[in-house]
Amino acid sequence: MTKAKDLASTRVKGTRTQGFQATVSGALLNTSLPRRMLRISTSYRLPGDRSRLTLGGSLSYQNGIYFDENYGLGRATHGSVTLIGLMARYEFSRQLSASLNIENLGGKRYYAGLGGYNGYTEGTPRNAWLKLQYKF
């Protein structure tokens, strides 16, 4: 008997998978963290003879933030930020695949949060990683 868990990850020739995922969260008001964020990502498996290759991209946006320093030292501000990421995956076989991911393609320096007890939190710099995956 096949378990429901196994059915969710079983490939069937000729099928197409589509999906959508959204996360909504918030707080009353904390101006040292972004109030608006948008993250979109997509991937596309090439058709036909090139179906072993999947290409993808991501877009991440956060609005401007500010923090009023204690003791009248002024206001620290940071404008909105948009980041781009890229992904490519190649399946050598049903068991072996390799993925290359690049985050913050433009290499933007930005703050993910300002001030408070945690100080100024710098955002993720440009980075890339290669992942090899083997399925038993």
Side-chain angles (χ1 to χ4, degrees), residues 48-85:
D49 294 338
R50 293 176 268 170
S51 65
R52 291 180 175 212
L53 181 61
T54 301
L55 301 174
S58 64
L59 179 79
S60 177
Y61 166 84
Q62 74 177 39
N63 72 300
I65 53 179
Y66 67 89
F67 177 74
D68 290 323
E69 295 286 354
N70 293 327
Y71 310 111
L73 294 175
R75 175 176 278 188
T77 62
H78 190 287
S80 62
V81 177
T82 301
L83 305 173
I84 296 172

PDB file of all heavy atoms in Angstrom, residues 48-85:
ATOM      1  N   GLY A  48      11.416  19.463 -23.269  1.00  0.00           N
ATOM      2  CA  GLY A  48      12.048  18.572 -24.246  1.00  0.00           C
ATOM      3  C   GLY A  48      13.385  18.021 -23.820  1.00  0.00           C
ATOM      4  O   GLY A  48      13.562  17.586 -22.685  1.00  0.00           O
ATOM      5  N   ASP A  49      14.348  18.072 -24.753  1.00  0.00           N
ATOM      6  CA  ASP A  49      15.676  17.506 -24.511  1.00  0.00           C
ATOM      7  C   ASP A  49      16.436  18.232 -23.402  1.00  0.00           C
ATOM      8  O   ASP A  49      17.393  17.701 -22.866  1.00  0.00           O
ATOM      9  CB  ASP A  49      16.514  17.558 -25.802  1.00  0.00           C
ATOM     10  CG  ASP A  49      15.934  16.659 -26.882  1.00  0.00           C
ATOM     11  OD1 ASP A  49      15.185  15.724 -26.534  1.00  0.00           O
ATOM     12  OD2 ASP A  49      16.222  16.906 -28.070  1.00  0.00           O
ATOM     13  N   ARG A  50      16.034  19.441 -23.083  1.00  0.00           N
ATOM     14  CA  ARG A  50      16.721  20.229 -22.050  1.00  0.00           C
ATOM     15  C   ARG A  50      16.006  20.145 -20.703  1.00  0.00           C
ATOM     16  O   ARG A  50      16.258  20.948 -19.825  1.00  0.00           O
ATOM     17  CB  ARG A  50      16.822  21.682 -22.501  1.00  0.00           C
ATOM     18  CG  ARG A  50      17.751  21.834 -23.706  1.00  0.00           C
ATOM     19  CD  ARG A  50      17.761  23.229 -24.189  1.00  0.00           C
ATOM     20  NE  ARG A  50      16.717  23.293 -25.236  1.00  0.00           N
ATOM     21  CZ  ARG A  50      16.282  24.386 -25.777  1.00  0.00           C
ATOM     22  NH1 ARG A  50      16.749  25.536 -25.402  1.00  0.00           N
ATOM     23  NH2 ARG A  50      15.354  24.352 -26.707  1.00  0.00           N
ATOM     24  N   SER A  51      15.151  19.157 -20.515  1.00  0.00           N
ATOM     25  CA  SER A  51      14.335  19.068 -19.298  1.00  0.00           C
ATOM     26  C   SER A  51      15.145  18.759 -18.041  1.00  0.00           C
ATOM     27  O   SER A  51      14.616  18.835 -16.939  1.00  0.00           O
ATOM     28  CB  SER A  51      13.231  18.028 -19.462  1.00  0.00           C
ATOM     29  OG  SER A  51      13.783  16.742 -19.599  1.00  0.00           O
ATOM     30  N   ARG A  52      16.391  18.431 -18.196  1.00  0.00           N
ATOM     31  CA  ARG A  52      17.241  18.200 -17.023  1.00  0.00           C
ATOM     32  C   ARG A  52      17.649  19.515 -16.356  1.00  0.00           C
ATOM     33  O   ARG A  52      18.130  19.523 -15.239  1.00  0.00           O
ATOM     34  CB  ARG A  52      18.491  17.429 -17.412  1.00  0.00           C
ATOM     35  CG  ARG A  52      18.210  16.013 -17.812  1.00  0.00           C
ATOM     36  CD  ARG A  52      19.481  15.309 -18.188  1.00  0.00           C
ATOM     37  NE  ARG A  52      19.215  13.912 -18.453  1.00  0.00           N
ATOM     38  CZ  ARG A  52      20.085  12.947 -18.209  1.00  0.00           C
ATOM     39  NH1 ARG A  52      21.268  13.238 -17.732  1.00  0.00           N
ATOM     40  NH2 ARG A  52      19.770  11.710 -18.474  1.00  0.00           N
ATOM     41  N   LEU A  53      17.459  20.634 -17.051  1.00  0.00           N
ATOM     42  CA  LEU A  53      17.875  21.947 -16.550  1.00  0.00           C
ATOM     43  C   LEU A  53      16.674  22.736 -16.039  1.00  0.00           C
ATOM     44  O   LEU A  53      15.667  22.849 -16.720  1.00  0.00           O
ATOM     45  CB  LEU A  53      18.574  22.734 -17.662  1.00  0.00           C
ATOM     46  CG  LEU A  53      19.100  24.120 -17.307  1.00  0.00           C
ATOM     47  CD1 LEU A  53      20.154  24.044 -16.207  1.00  0.00           C
ATOM     48  CD2 LEU A  53      19.684  24.780 -18.562  1.00  0.00           C
ATOM     49  N   THR A  54      16.811  23.270 -14.836  1.00  0.00           N
ATOM     50  CA  THR A  54      15.805  24.146 -14.240  1.00  0.00           C
ATOM     51  C   THR A  54      16.473  25.480 -13.927  1.00  0.00           C
ATOM     52  O   THR A  54      17.560  25.507 -13.348  1.00  0.00           O
ATOM     53  CB  THR A  54      15.241  23.536 -12.935  1.00  0.00           C
ATOM     54  OG1 THR A  54      14.668  22.268 -13.227  1.00  0.00           O
ATOM     55  CG2 THR A  54      14.199  24.436 -12.305  1.00  0.00           C
ATOM     56  N   LEU A  55      15.835  26.578 -14.338  1.00  0.00           N
ATOM     57  CA  LEU A  55      16.342  27.925 -14.077  1.00  0.00           C
ATOM     58  C   LEU A  55      15.354  28.670 -13.194  1.00  0.00           C
ATOM     59  O   LEU A  55      14.146  28.450 -13.294  1.00  0.00           O
ATOM     60  CB  LEU A  55      16.539  28.687 -15.394  1.00  0.00           C
ATOM     61  CG  LEU A  55      17.496  28.055 -16.392  1.00  0.00           C
ATOM     62  CD1 LEU A  55      17.483  28.845 -17.700  1.00  0.00           C
ATOM     63  CD2 LEU A  55      18.902  28.002 -15.824  1.00  0.00           C
ATOM     64  N   GLY A  56      15.857  29.555 -12.350  1.00  0.00           N
ATOM     65  CA  GLY A  56      14.963  30.288 -11.465  1.00  0.00           C
ATOM     66  C   GLY A  56      15.532  31.625 -11.059  1.00  0.00           C
ATOM     67  O   GLY A  56      16.700  31.941 -11.305  1.00  0.00           O
ATOM     68  N   GLY A  57      14.677  32.418 -10.457  1.00  0.00           N
ATOM     69  CA  GLY A  57      15.083  33.728  -9.982  1.00  0.00           C
ATOM     70  C   GLY A  57      14.228  34.153  -8.806  1.00  0.00           C
ATOM     71  O   GLY A  57      13.159  33.598  -8.559  1.00  0.00           O
ATOM     72  N   SER A  58      14.715  35.149  -8.076  1.00  0.00           N
ATOM     73  CA  SER A  58      13.960  35.670  -6.938  1.00  0.00           C
ATOM     74  C   SER A  58      14.124  37.179  -6.862  1.00  0.00           C
ATOM     75  O   SER A  58      15.118  37.747  -7.324  1.00  0.00           O
ATOM     76  CB  SER A  58      14.436  35.030  -5.626  1.00  0.00           C
ATOM     77  OG  SER A  58      15.774  35.383  -5.364  1.00  0.00           O
ATOM     78  N   LEU A  59      13.125  37.821  -6.294  1.00  0.00           N
ATOM     79  CA  LEU A  59      13.114  39.260  -6.081  1.00  0.00           C
ATOM     80  C   LEU A  59      12.673  39.498  -4.641  1.00  0.00           C
ATOM     81  O   LEU A  59      11.672  38.933  -4.195  1.00  0.00           O
ATOM     82  CB  LEU A  59      12.135  39.936  -7.045  1.00  0.00           C
ATOM     83  CG  LEU A  59      12.000  41.439  -6.922  1.00  0.00           C
ATOM     84  CD1 LEU A  59      13.189  42.109  -7.607  1.00  0.00           C
ATOM     85  CD2 LEU A  59      10.713  41.902  -7.538  1.00  0.00           C
ATOM     86  N   SER A  60      13.437  40.307  -3.916  1.00  0.00           N
ATOM     87  CA  SER A  60      13.123  40.607  -2.524  1.00  0.00           C
ATOM     88  C   SER A  60      13.137  42.116  -2.341  1.00  0.00           C
ATOM     89  O   SER A  60      14.086  42.786  -2.753  1.00  0.00           O
ATOM     90  CB  SER A  60      14.160  39.951  -1.612  1.00  0.00           C
ATOM     91  OG  SER A  60      13.922  40.271  -0.263  1.00  0.00           O
ATOM     92  N   TYR A  61      12.082  42.656  -1.724  1.00  0.00           N
ATOM     93  CA  TYR A  61      11.961  44.097  -1.499  1.00  0.00           C
ATOM     94  C   TYR A  61      11.641  44.348  -0.035  1.00  0.00           C
ATOM     95  O   TYR A  61      10.868  43.609   0.579  1.00  0.00           O
ATOM     96  CB  TYR A  61      10.837  44.679  -2.367  1.00  0.00           C
ATOM     97  CG  TYR A  61      10.429  46.074  -1.950  1.00  0.00           C
ATOM     98  CD1 TYR A  61      11.140  47.185  -2.397  1.00  0.00           C
ATOM     99  CD2 TYR A  61       9.361  46.280  -1.085  1.00  0.00           C
ATOM    100  CE1 TYR A  61      10.785  48.464  -1.991  1.00  0.00           C
ATOM    101  CE2 TYR A  61       9.004  47.555  -0.678  1.00  0.00           C
ATOM    102  CZ  TYR A  61       9.719  48.638  -1.130  1.00  0.00           C
ATOM    103  OH  TYR A  61       9.368  49.901  -0.716  1.00  0.00           O
ATOM    104  N   GLN A  62      12.263  45.381   0.536  1.00  0.00           N
ATOM    105  CA  GLN A  62      11.868  45.861   1.861  1.00  0.00           C
ATOM    106  C   GLN A  62      11.833  47.376   1.828  1.00  0.00           C
ATOM    107  O   GLN A  62      12.654  48.009   1.167  1.00  0.00           O
ATOM    108  CB  GLN A  62      12.794  45.356   2.967  1.00  0.00           C
ATOM    109  CG  GLN A  62      14.159  46.027   3.026  1.00  0.00           C
ATOM    110  CD  GLN A  62      14.993  45.533   4.194  1.00  0.00           C
ATOM    111  OE1 GLN A  62      14.983  44.369   4.530  1.00  0.00           O
ATOM    112  NE2 GLN A  62      15.723  46.445   4.801  1.00  0.00           N
ATOM    113  N   ASN A  63      10.844  47.958   2.520  1.00  0.00           N
ATOM    114  CA  ASN A  63      10.712  49.409   2.517  1.00  0.00           C
ATOM    115  C   ASN A  63      11.772  50.064   3.392  1.00  0.00           C
ATOM    116  O   ASN A  63      12.516  49.381   4.102  1.00  0.00           O
ATOM    117  CB  ASN A  63       9.302  49.812   2.987  1.00  0.00           C
ATOM    118  CG  ASN A  63       9.126  49.587   4.474  1.00  0.00           C
ATOM    119  OD1 ASN A  63       9.252  48.461   4.951  1.00  0.00           O
ATOM    120  ND2 ASN A  63       8.840  50.637   5.217  1.00  0.00           N
ATOM    121  N   GLY A  64      11.845  51.391   3.332  1.00  0.00           N
ATOM    122  CA  GLY A  64      12.793  52.139   4.149  1.00  0.00           C
ATOM    123  C   GLY A  64      12.490  52.014   5.635  1.00  0.00           C
ATOM    124  O   GLY A  64      11.353  51.770   6.044  1.00  0.00           O
ATOM    125  N   ILE A  65      13.521  52.162   6.457  1.00  0.00           N
ATOM    126  CA  ILE A  65      13.383  52.037   7.907  1.00  0.00           C
ATOM    127  C   ILE A  65      14.100  53.203   8.574  1.00  0.00           C
ATOM    128  O   ILE A  65      14.951  53.863   7.967  1.00  0.00           O
ATOM    129  CB  ILE A  65      13.960  50.689   8.411  1.00  0.00           C
ATOM    130  CG1 ILE A  65      15.400  50.495   7.925  1.00  0.00           C
ATOM    131  CG2 ILE A  65      13.095  49.530   7.961  1.00  0.00           C
ATOM    132  CD1 ILE A  65      16.060  49.208   8.403  1.00  0.00           C
ATOM    133  N   TYR A  66      13.752  53.456   9.844  1.00  0.00           N
ATOM    134  CA  TYR A  66      14.467  54.473  10.607  1.00  0.00           C
ATOM    135  C   TYR A  66      14.452  54.113  12.086  1.00  0.00           C
ATOM    136  O   TYR A  66      13.655  53.297  12.541  1.00  0.00           O
ATOM    137  CB  TYR A  66      13.880  55.863  10.382  1.00  0.00           C
ATOM    138  CG  TYR A  66      12.492  56.077  10.930  1.00  0.00           C
ATOM    139  CD1 TYR A  66      12.309  56.532  12.236  1.00  0.00           C
ATOM    140  CD2 TYR A  66      11.380  55.830  10.155  1.00  0.00           C
ATOM    141  CE1 TYR A  66      11.035  56.734  12.749  1.00  0.00           C
ATOM    142  CE2 TYR A  66      10.105  56.031  10.651  1.00  0.00           C
ATOM    143  CZ  TYR A  66       9.939  56.488  11.954  1.00  0.00           C
ATOM    144  OH  TYR A  66       8.678  56.677  12.446  1.00  0.00           O
ATOM    145  N   PHE A  67      15.372  54.739  12.830  1.00  0.00           N
ATOM    146  CA  PHE A  67      15.465  54.515  14.267  1.00  0.00           C
ATOM    147  C   PHE A  67      15.868  55.826  14.917  1.00  0.00           C
ATOM    148  O   PHE A  67      16.852  56.447  14.507  1.00  0.00           O
ATOM    149  CB  PHE A  67      16.504  53.427  14.574  1.00  0.00           C
ATOM    150  CG  PHE A  67      16.698  53.191  16.045  1.00  0.00           C
ATOM    151  CD1 PHE A  67      15.743  52.514  16.788  1.00  0.00           C
ATOM    152  CD2 PHE A  67      17.831  53.654  16.694  1.00  0.00           C
ATOM    153  CE1 PHE A  67      15.910  52.292  18.140  1.00  0.00           C
ATOM    154  CE2 PHE A  67      18.010  53.436  18.049  1.00  0.00           C
ATOM    155  CZ  PHE A  67      17.051  52.764  18.775  1.00  0.00           C
ATOM    156  N   ASP A  68      15.097  56.269  15.905  1.00  0.00           N
ATOM    157  CA  ASP A  68      15.420  57.482  16.659  1.00  0.00           C
ATOM    158  C   ASP A  68      16.369  57.118  17.788  1.00  0.00           C
ATOM    159  O   ASP A  68      16.002  56.371  18.703  1.00  0.00           O
ATOM    160  CB  ASP A  68      14.146  58.131  17.211  1.00  0.00           C
ATOM    161  CG  ASP A  68      13.301  58.742  16.110  1.00  0.00           C
ATOM    162  OD1 ASP A  68      13.888  59.298  15.165  1.00  0.00           O
ATOM    163  OD2 ASP A  68      12.056  58.650  16.184  1.00  0.00           O
ATOM    164  N   GLU A  69      17.597  57.644  17.698  1.00  0.00           N
ATOM    165  CA  GLU A  69      18.622  57.362  18.705  1.00  0.00           C
ATOM    166  C   GLU A  69      18.222  57.977  20.041  1.00  0.00           C
ATOM    167  O   GLU A  69      17.565  59.018  20.095  1.00  0.00           O
ATOM    168  CB  GLU A  69      19.978  57.935  18.268  1.00  0.00           C
ATOM    169  CG  GLU A  69      20.554  57.292  17.035  1.00  0.00           C
ATOM    170  CD  GLU A  69      21.104  55.903  17.278  1.00  0.00           C
ATOM    171  OE1 GLU A  69      21.149  55.455  18.440  1.00  0.00           O
ATOM    172  OE2 GLU A  69      21.492  55.260  16.296  1.00  0.00           O
ATOM    173  N   ASN A  70      18.645  57.348  21.135  1.00  0.00           N
ATOM    174  CA  ASN A  70      18.378  57.858  22.479  1.00  0.00           C
ATOM    175  C   ASN A  70      19.169  59.142  22.749  1.00  0.00           C
ATOM    176  O   ASN A  70      20.181  59.406  22.088  1.00  0.00           O
ATOM    177  CB  ASN A  70      18.746  56.800  23.529  1.00  0.00           C
ATOM    178  CG  ASN A  70      17.825  55.607  23.457  1.00  0.00           C
ATOM    179  OD1 ASN A  70      16.642  55.739  23.142  1.00  0.00           O
ATOM    180  ND2 ASN A  70      18.356  54.438  23.746  1.00  0.00           N
ATOM    181  N   TYR A  71      18.731  59.878  23.702  1.00  0.00           N
ATOM    182  CA  TYR A  71      19.411  61.081  24.192  1.00  0.00           C
ATOM    183  C   TYR A  71      19.564  62.150  23.119  1.00  0.00           C
ATOM    184  O   TYR A  71      20.538  62.899  23.105  1.00  0.00           O
ATOM    185  CB  TYR A  71      20.784  60.732  24.788  1.00  0.00           C
ATOM    186  CG  TYR A  71      20.700  59.590  25.777  1.00  0.00           C
ATOM    187  CD1 TYR A  71      21.254  58.352  25.470  1.00  0.00           C
ATOM    188  CD2 TYR A  71      20.038  59.745  26.996  1.00  0.00           C
ATOM    189  CE1 TYR A  71      21.156  57.293  26.365  1.00  0.00           C
ATOM    190  CE2 TYR A  71      19.946  58.689  27.891  1.00  0.00           C
ATOM    191  CZ  TYR A  71      20.495  57.475  27.569  1.00  0.00           C
ATOM    192  OH  TYR A  71      20.393  56.434  28.450  1.00  0.00           O
ATOM    193  N   GLY A  72      18.619  62.204  22.165  1.00  0.00           N
ATOM    194  CA  GLY A  72      18.627  63.257  21.158  1.00  0.00           C
ATOM    195  C   GLY A  72      19.783  63.201  20.178  1.00  0.00           C
ATOM    196  O   GLY A  72      20.192  64.232  19.635  1.00  0.00           O
ATOM    197  N   LEU A  73      20.340  62.049  19.942  1.00  0.00           N
ATOM    198  CA  LEU A  73      21.476  61.915  19.026  1.00  0.00           C
ATOM    199  C   LEU A  73      21.074  61.939  17.558  1.00  0.00           C
ATOM    200  O   LEU A  73      21.917  61.920  16.679  1.00  0.00           O
ATOM    201  CB  LEU A  73      22.252  60.625  19.318  1.00  0.00           C
ATOM    202  CG  LEU A  73      22.947  60.571  20.678  1.00  0.00           C
ATOM    203  CD1 LEU A  73      23.573  59.205  20.907  1.00  0.00           C
ATOM    204  CD2 LEU A  73      24.000  61.670  20.776  1.00  0.00           C
ATOM    205  N   GLY A  74      19.782  61.969  17.266  1.00  0.00           N
ATOM    206  CA  GLY A  74      19.326  62.063  15.889  1.00  0.00           C
ATOM    207  C   GLY A  74      18.613  60.810  15.424  1.00  0.00           C
ATOM    208  O   GLY A  74      18.324  59.897  16.198  1.00  0.00           O
ATOM    209  N   ARG A  75      18.345  60.795  14.150  1.00  0.00           N
ATOM    210  CA  ARG A  75      17.615  59.694  13.535  1.00  0.00           C
ATOM    211  C   ARG A  75      18.504  58.998  12.516  1.00  0.00           C
ATOM    212  O   ARG A  75      19.084  59.638  11.651  1.00  0.00           O
ATOM    213  CB  ARG A  75      16.363  60.220  12.849  1.00  0.00           C
ATOM    214  CG  ARG A  75      15.591  59.157  12.081  1.00  0.00           C
ATOM    215  CD  ARG A  75      14.327  59.699  11.494  1.00  0.00           C
ATOM    216  NE  ARG A  75      13.315  59.701  12.554  1.00  0.00           N
ATOM    217  CZ  ARG A  75      12.036  59.979  12.365  1.00  0.00           C
ATOM    218  NH1 ARG A  75      11.599  60.313  11.169  1.00  0.00           N
ATOM    219  NH2 ARG A  75      11.188  59.945  13.352  1.00  0.00           N
ATOM    220  N   ALA A  76      18.568  57.671  12.603  1.00  0.00           N
ATOM    221  CA  ALA A  76      19.272  56.855  11.603  1.00  0.00           C
ATOM    222  C   ALA A  76      18.226  56.367  10.604  1.00  0.00           C
ATOM    223  O   ALA A  76      17.173  55.877  11.004  1.00  0.00           O
ATOM    224  CB  ALA A  76      19.955  55.673  12.270  1.00  0.00           C
ATOM    225  N   THR A  77      18.496  56.543   9.313  1.00  0.00           N
ATOM    226  CA  THR A  77      17.539  56.115   8.289  1.00  0.00           C
ATOM    227  C   THR A  77      18.235  55.245   7.248  1.00  0.00           C
ATOM    228  O   THR A  77      19.448  55.318   7.053  1.00  0.00           O
ATOM    229  CB  THR A  77      16.910  57.322   7.565  1.00  0.00           C
ATOM    230  OG1 THR A  77      17.945  58.044   6.901  1.00  0.00           O
ATOM    231  CG2 THR A  77      16.188  58.223   8.538  1.00  0.00           C
ATOM    232  N   HIS A  78      17.425  54.431   6.599  1.00  0.00           N
ATOM    233  CA  HIS A  78      17.909  53.606   5.495  1.00  0.00           C
ATOM    234  C   HIS A  78      16.762  53.466   4.508  1.00  0.00           C
ATOM    235  O   HIS A  78      15.655  53.104   4.892  1.00  0.00           O
ATOM    236  CB  HIS A  78      18.347  52.234   6.002  1.00  0.00           C
ATOM    237  CG  HIS A  78      19.065  51.421   4.976  1.00  0.00           C
ATOM    238  ND1 HIS A  78      18.423  50.836   3.911  1.00  0.00           N
ATOM    239  CD2 HIS A  78      20.366  51.110   4.831  1.00  0.00           C
ATOM    240  CE1 HIS A  78      19.308  50.193   3.178  1.00  0.00           C
ATOM    241  NE2 HIS A  78      20.496  50.340   3.713  1.00  0.00           N
ATOM    242  N   GLY A  79      17.020  53.746   3.239  1.00  0.00           N
ATOM    243  CA  GLY A  79      15.982  53.678   2.211  1.00  0.00           C
ATOM    244  C   GLY A  79      15.582  52.256   1.855  1.00  0.00           C
ATOM    245  O   GLY A  79      16.137  51.282   2.361  1.00  0.00           O
ATOM    246  N   SER A  80      14.624  52.136   0.971  1.00  0.00           N
ATOM    247  CA  SER A  80      14.145  50.820   0.553  1.00  0.00           C
ATOM    248  C   SER A  80      15.224  50.069  -0.227  1.00  0.00           C
ATOM    249  O   SER A  80      16.135  50.673  -0.789  1.00  0.00           O
ATOM    250  CB  SER A  80      12.878  50.963  -0.290  1.00  0.00           C
ATOM    251  OG  SER A  80      13.154  51.687  -1.464  1.00  0.00           O
ATOM    252  N   VAL A  81      15.104  48.749  -0.254  1.00  0.00           N
ATOM    253  CA  VAL A  81      16.104  47.882  -0.884  1.00  0.00           C
ATOM    254  C   VAL A  81      15.398  46.821  -1.726  1.00  0.00           C
ATOM    255  O   VAL A  81      14.414  46.231  -1.291  1.00  0.00           O
ATOM    256  CB  VAL A  81      16.969  47.174   0.184  1.00  0.00           C
ATOM    257  CG1 VAL A  81      17.962  46.229  -0.463  1.00  0.00           C
ATOM    258  CG2 VAL A  81      17.677  48.172   1.057  1.00  0.00           C
ATOM    259  N   THR A  82      15.904  46.598  -2.933  1.00  0.00           N
ATOM    260  CA  THR A  82      15.433  45.509  -3.788  1.00  0.00           C
ATOM    261  C   THR A  82      16.628  44.624  -4.133  1.00  0.00           C
ATOM    262  O   THR A  82      17.655  45.128  -4.583  1.00  0.00           O
ATOM    263  CB  THR A  82      14.795  46.056  -5.077  1.00  0.00           C
ATOM    264  OG1 THR A  82      13.708  46.913  -4.728  1.00  0.00           O
ATOM    265  CG2 THR A  82      14.275  44.925  -5.943  1.00  0.00           C
ATOM    266  N   LEU A  83      16.490  43.331  -3.910  1.00  0.00           N
ATOM    267  CA  LEU A  83      17.570  42.373  -4.158  1.00  0.00           C
ATOM    268  C   LEU A  83      17.115  41.331  -5.176  1.00  0.00           C
ATOM    269  O   LEU A  83      15.942  40.960  -5.217  1.00  0.00           O
ATOM    270  CB  LEU A  83      17.967  41.659  -2.870  1.00  0.00           C
ATOM    271  CG  LEU A  83      18.358  42.554  -1.693  1.00  0.00           C
ATOM    272  CD1 LEU A  83      18.562  41.713  -0.451  1.00  0.00           C
ATOM    273  CD2 LEU A  83      19.603  43.344  -2.019  1.00  0.00           C
ATOM    274  N   ILE A  84      18.068  40.840  -5.963  1.00  0.00           N
ATOM    275  CA  ILE A  84      17.788  39.832  -6.987  1.00  0.00           C
ATOM    276  C   ILE A  84      18.638  38.593  -6.726  1.00  0.00           C
ATOM    277  O   ILE A  84      19.811  38.704  -6.370  1.00  0.00           O
ATOM    278  CB  ILE A  84      18.096  40.392  -8.394  1.00  0.00           C
ATOM    279  CG1 ILE A  84      17.164  41.558  -8.682  1.00  0.00           C
ATOM    280  CG2 ILE A  84      17.962  39.309  -9.458  1.00  0.00           C
ATOM    281  CD1 ILE A  84      17.497  42.302  -9.952  1.00  0.00           C
ATOM    282  N   GLY A  85      18.053  37.426  -6.931  1.00  0.00           N
ATOM    283  CA  GLY A  85      18.773  36.165  -6.807  1.00  0.00           C
ATOM    284  C   GLY A  85      18.531  35.295  -8.030  1.00  0.00           C
ATOM    285  O   GLY A  85      17.508  35.430  -8.709  1.00  0.00           O
TER     286      GLY A  85
END
